[in-house]
Amino acid sequence: MRLFSWKRIVLNLSAVAVGVTSVMNPVCAGDLRDAAPPSVFLAVYAKQNPERDYQKKYYEDILKTVRSTKIMDRALQMVQRRMGETDVEQLNSVRDAVTNAFANVEWAKVTNSSETLYVQRMEAPTSHHVILCSMEEGGASSLATGISNLFDLAVNASGGNLTKTTETAGGVEFTVLQLPPGAPMAPAVGVDGNVFVFTTSLAFAGESLDYYHNPDKESKFEDARVVEAMKHLPAAEDSIVFYDGAAMSDQLNSMIEFVRNVAGGNPDAARGIDLMTRIFTEVSAHDFELTVEYTEGFQNRSASYGRMKSGTEEGLMAKMMSHQQAFENWQTWVPENASAYSLSSGVNLHPAYEWMMEVIPSVFPEAQQGLDQFAQIQDQIDLHLDADILQSFPGETVSLSFPGKTPSPFGGKSSESAMFMRCTNPDRIQALLARAMEMIKQNQQAKEQGIDMVPIEGMEGFSEIKANSFGMVGIKPVIGFKDGWMVMGSHLEAVKAALETRSGSGSTIVDSDSFKNFNLEVKGPVQSISYKNNAEATRQAADLMQQLGIMGPALISMAPKNANGPDLQPLIEAAQLLPLVSQIVRKFDFIESTMSVTQDGPESGSYVRQSVTLIRPPAPEKKPAASSAAPAK
């Protein structure tokens, strides 16, 4: 069982927002975790970890590069050149005012926060947030003053629509930016000792601080599900993230009720709300996920344990995700020389389509006519979205990349790829592809390109897709079917390498150093597993930006001039900034590679996920050369 991808995005963005690493005893009390009220659906806690101090130098180097390139100044100058003199003066005035507002912030203390907590909950009609950061003395108050100064600027520019007030919540005095009447939130900052507090709701912040000041109260991190999940996870050393899907579901329902009340008795709105309710009911199948982050040597590691709600086993999400084929021997899919790979059991969209075709006309009967017309069109062209496409491809995929053999026009070597999609009806898909190719070949431009699909000798069921332009970009696309999978590749060699390993005659990735370096034990079937060479991808992106920055302005200048066309000069100037951006991007190559694996958990409806990121070890410090001078007598 796997977590929905959009929820994973929420967790990742929230962890990034916290912005610090951590180390903790998962059962200790008296820290900022106590400030997480049970009512939140997301709680992220992090604390500095000395084991990762060496990584700070990498980020300091990035910041140094940003400053040395003066990229921000150059970008601002580019914008100013498009503005009138008065607008430039106003922009500079705003920039100077904001700079002055934060002039006395002790940024070294702010960025070195020892603890950070972020919590979120929904209160109709919006979502509210609280952030608490524990800093060295003076850091919290300096940041709060800077934000208060920013509030002043907003009030002065609002023409009387905004005001700044002082209010107390949780025993802490807050500076509040009061928005126009009816606004569902009011940003506020406060300081509790050495703890900086930012919130969008004073009531929420007051509740959070009440839990912080009374550690005997059970916080979100003392939820019984957290205790259960920790039995299946390593100790949290860097951060701990608790996503409560059940709480989020309840809070979404309150949002729906708010919309229903606002809509009054409007029948059309009621039907839309009914459909929204049904969708939320079906997708709200996730109970919780707990993620802990820890450090081993030069590895940033995380482990997650999650579970689906009891009683949702026959629901829509279960039909889409719970019946997918796991990869029993995943390593047999990945050749030893693969530079990147991703295996996923995916999501079956057929149940969702079937559900929509039943529910939509039941809520909107007038939609039936349009659905009937859609069905008639599918009959006429003999191509059915559900029967031919969705049911033919249940969702399982394998994606492989290999080092290329030819130089890339943007530096380095090109790459080759192969992709497998499980296909339950290969004969029908082959017939559709052949029909589509015949239609394409009737097009005059396609004829000029020499587009064709030619069977490959010695590989039954495989064909090469030919086109004159493919040679210019260095690819020879291949498509075919093998053992219930549709196979596509940029080059025949990539497909052959994958099929050879799958047949058992080639070495697999588990024999490679790139796998062994992760010290990641993977036993049994996997729902998904992926590997990415981040450092190489970063360098390739930097190379691409560098080349585009050199070639782009010249290519844009060569474009045909049109008196009524857009001014291309801004585009040229933007392209000229790319080599500077390239210098900054390249500095991120200290993040060497990442591997992640998801498997079914020990309990029904549960899953576990492990992720490891390899970080470049710091360069050894150079010892001063021994003096060769003779000692003085």
Side-chain angles (χ1 to χ4, degrees), residues 486-554:
M486 185 172 84
V487 188
M488 297 170 285
S490 63
H491 297 77
L492 179 59
E493 292 78 7
V495 171
K496 284 184 173 180
L499 293 175
E500 181 181 352
T501 302
R502 183 65 183 148
S503 69
S505 56
S507 298
T508 70
I509 196 67
V510 295
D511 301 316
S512 70
D513 290 338
S514 66
F515 177 79
K516 296 175 182 177
N517 289 340
F518 284 94
N519 299 321
L520 190 60
E521 187 176 29
V522 183
K523 290 184 177 180
V526 304
Q527 292 291 343
S528 68
I529 188 167
S530 63
Y531 164 81
K532 180 180 180 181
N533 187 328
N534 304 79
E536 183 61 28
T538 297
R539 288 189 285 267
Q540 288 181 353
D543 289 342
L544 177 60
M545 291 180 183
Q546 178 72 24
Q547 292 298 321
L548 289 177
I550 295 173
M551 300 165 54

Side-chain angles (χ1 to χ4, degrees), residues 28-34 115 212 215:
C28 73
D31 55 36
L32 290 184
R33 276 174 301 163
D34 293 326
E115 288 181 277
Y212 179 55

Side-chain angles (χ1 to χ4, degrees), residues 6-225:
W6 66 272
K7 292 178 180 174
R8 296 231 4 228
I9 292 172
V10 171
L11 299 184
N12 292 336
L13 289 178
S14 300
V16 170
V18 168
V20 296
T21 52
S22 64
V23 56
M24 76 203 71
N25 181 328
V27 295
C28 73
D31 55 36
L32 290 184
R33 276 174 301 163
D34 293 326
S39 59
V40 304
F41 74 84
L42 180 64
V44 183
Y45 173 78
K47 192 174 180 180
Q48 279 194 10
N49 182 354
E51 291 182 86
R52 295 194 182 182
D53 281 351
Y54 74 97
Q55 297 179 27
K56 293 180 181 179
K57 294 182 179 179
Y58 295 131
Y59 291 104
E60 290 170 359
D61 193 26
I62 292 170
L63 184 57
K64 181 180 178 181
T65 304
V66 171
R67 290 170 176 163
S68 66
T69 60
K70 299 182 179 179
I71 185 69
M72 304 304 294
D73 291 338
R74 292 170 185 256
L76 183 60
Q77 290 168 6
M78 186 183 76
V79 173
Q80 290 177 333
R81 283 194 287 271
R82 314 263 83 77
M83 301 170 64
E85 184 176 346
T86 302
D87 293 333
V88 170
E89 291 178 356
Q90 291 179 344
L91 179 62
N92 288 338
S93 176
V94 171
R95 180 195 61 187
D96 294 341
V98 173
T99 300
N100 291 333
F102 289 99
N104 294 321
V105 175
E106 300 183 50
W107 291 111
K109 295 178 180 179
V110 172
T111 57
N112 201 36
S113 303
S114 59
E115 288 181 277
T116 302
L117 175 76
Y118 168 77
V119 289
Q120 181 181 0
R121 75 181 179 199
M122 295 182 189
E123 296 176 12
T126 189
S127 184
H128 284 298
H129 316 265
V130 174
I131 299 175
L132 293 88
C133 298
S134 182
M135 306 175 186
E136 294 179 36
E137 185 174 356
S141 58
S142 73
L143 180 58
T145 300
I147 295 178
S148 177
N149 293 338
L150 189 64
F151 287 173
D152 287 332
L153 295 177
V155 170
N156 293 336
S158 70
N161 292 319
L162 305 178
T163 57
K164 191 177 84 167
T165 62
T166 301
E167 300 184 36
T168 300
V172 173
E173 186 177 276
F174 282 86
T175 300
V176 186
L177 180 64
Q178 299 289 357
L179 304 180
M185 61 176 61
V189 291
V191 178
D192 186 6
N194 290 325
V195 176
F196 167 83
V197 187
F198 175 85
T199 185
T200 57
S201 165
L202 276 184
F204 190 13
E207 183 181 350
S208 178
L209 289 168
D210 182 52
Y211 273 84
Y212 179 55
H213 296 149
N214 296 278
D216 289 339
K217 288 187 173 183
E218 289 192 357
S219 75
K220 192 69 176 185
F221 289 109
E222 294 169 287
D223 188 293
R225 291 167 295 174

